[in-house]
C-alpha cells in the first residue's frame, strides 16, 4: 500500500487485523527499510520526539508488481 502525507510517501505491505481500530494505521519504526520518516513531519515535542503519532496519511492500493518498490519523494 502507498502511504502518503504532506511530508512525503513510502510503500509498505499491509495486513488488516481486528487489533488495530478502523481509521488507525500502525507501522513499526524499527525497520529502517520501511522509510516511515518520509511521511512524518519535522515537528518535534519539547523533548525532541517526532510528532509521528499524529501524522495524517492517505492510503492507496498499488499493484502487486509494485509492492516491492519504494516510493520516491
Amino acid at each position: 500500500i502507498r502511504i502518503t502525507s504532506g511530508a512525503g510517501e513510502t510503500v509498505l505491505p499491509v495486513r488488516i487485523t481486528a487489533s488495530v481500530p478502523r481509521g488507525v494505521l500502525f507501522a513499526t519504526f524499527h525497520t529502517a527499510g520501511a522509510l516511515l520518516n518520509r511521511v512524518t513531519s519535522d515537528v518535534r515535542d519539547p523533548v525532541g520526539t517526532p510528532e509521528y503519532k499524529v501524522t495524517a496519511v492517505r492510503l492507496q492500493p498499488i499493484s502487486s508488481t509494485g509492492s516491492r518498490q519504494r516510493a520516491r519523494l
Side-chain angles (χ1 to χ4, degrees), residues 2-18:
R2 182 180 315 281
I3 302 170
T4 307
S5 74
E9 62 183 43
T10 191
V11 174
L12 295 175
V14 65
R15 183 177 64 187
I16 299 171
T17 70

Side-chain angles (χ1 to χ4, degrees), residues 1-4 11-12 14 58-64 66-67:
I1 195 155
R2 182 180 315 281
I3 302 170
T4 307
V11 174
L12 295 175
V14 65
R58 180 179 61 206
L59 305 179
Q60 297 173 289
I62 58 173
S63 70
S64 59
S67 64

Side-chain angles (χ1 to χ4, degrees), residues 1 10 12 17-18 20 22-24 26 29 32 34 39 42 44 55 58-59 64-67 71-72:
I1 195 155
T10 191
L12 295 175
T17 70
V20 177
R22 183 180 180 94
V24 175
F26 172 82
F29 278 80
V39 298
D42 292 334
R44 306 225 177 237
T55 301
R58 180 179 61 206
L59 305 179
S64 59
T65 58
S67 64
R72 288 193 165 48

